[in-house]
């Protein structure tokens, strides 16, 4: 059996308070947790990969991001990491990047609220329609009772 993942990001397959014995009075989740812990304790060989192979070639900015992410992983961000990450925040200030910039047209964007994500998706859809010469139309779904949703 092979387990793969980033142990700095993934929760363990069991809670530390879980025993390894299973009995019928336990909840299904409790039984699964106990079995998971028992299986995990049977692992005898661990291989830790040290070299990140995702980026074999990288720009200076890629290297800064990679370093910041590695430092963040271990809660060891430096002042340079924070400065670099802050330079990636979009906003209205003259020195901040703008979502309308061409370089951000097709990138994933993290937002705090679904309403922000929805607005970004609306703007992106309108831009895509304009770029491809298509027209967007409003679509309302109607449930079985004929009431607009």
């Amino acid at each position: 059996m092979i387990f793969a993942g980033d142990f700095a990001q993934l929760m363990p397959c069991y809670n530390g308070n879980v025993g390894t014995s299973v009995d019928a009075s336990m909840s299904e989740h409790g039984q699964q947790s106990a079995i998971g812990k028992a299986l995990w304790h049977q692992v005898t060989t661990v291989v830790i990969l040290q070299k990140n192979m995702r980026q074999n070639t990288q720009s200076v900015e890629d290297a800064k991001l990679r370093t910041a992410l590695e430092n963040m992983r271990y809660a060891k961000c430096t002042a340079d990491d924070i400065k670099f990450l802050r330079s990636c925040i979009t906003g209205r200030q003259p020195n901040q990047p703008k979502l309308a910039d061409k370089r951000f047209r097709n990138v994933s964007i993290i937002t705090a609220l679904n309403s922000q994500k929805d607005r970004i998706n609306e703007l992106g859809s309108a831009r895509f329609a304009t770029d491809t010469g298509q027209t967007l139309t409003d679509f309302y779904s109607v449930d079985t009772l004929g009431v607009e949703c």
Side-chain angles (χ1 to χ4, degrees):
M1 185 178 301
I2 297 174
F3 300 94
D6 185 339
F7 287 98
Q9 294 181 11
L10 301 176
M11 295 296 293
C13 58
Y14 65 89
N15 177 317
N17 298 325
V18 174
T20 55
S21 61
V22 177
D23 67 54
S25 67
M26 297 172 71
S27 69
E28 182 179 348
H29 181 266
Q31 291 176 22
Q32 289 174 349
S33 294
I35 291 168
K37 182 174 183 178
L39 287 171
W40 185 251
H41 282 284
Q42 292 181 31
V43 173
T44 58
T45 303
V46 176
V47 176
I48 298 176
L49 304 174
Q50 299 290 330
K51 186 174 180 183
N52 184 334
M53 298 301 291
R54 185 170 290 180
Q55 298 170 320
N56 288 327
T57 60
Q58 57 185 350
S59 68
V60 173
E61 293 241 324
D62 291 337
K64 286 181 181 180
L65 176 61
R66 184 172 170 180
T67 299
L69 293 175
E70 287 174 2
N71 290 344
M72 192 183 313
R73 175 181 191 179
Y74 298 107
K76 304 281 186 196
C77 283
T78 66
D80 285 341
D81 296 332
I82 301 299
K83 181 179 178 183
F84 173 75
L85 292 170
R86 286 189 173 145
S87 76
C88 298
I89 297 171
T90 63
R92 296 171 194 224
Q93 303 301 320
N95 61 340
Q96 290 179 314
K98 307 289 182 263
L99 287 179
D101 290 351
K102 191 170 188 167
R103 65 186 172 137
F104 293 118
R105 282 191 159 196
N106 298 308
V107 298
S108 298
I109 298 172
I110 300 169
T111 64
L113 303 172
N114 282 338
S115 60
Q116 294 167 337
K117 177 229 3 133
D118 291 342
R119 183 64 180 139
I120 289 168
N121 287 339
E122 287 172 18
L123 294 169
S125 297
R127 180 199 39 89
F128 179 80
T130 300
D131 289 352
T132 59
Q134 299 180 48
T135 304
L136 289 178
T137 58
D138 289 333
F139 175 79
Y140 295 95
S141 65
V142 179
D143 70 14
T144 56
L145 298 175
V147 177
E148 287 188 8
C149 299

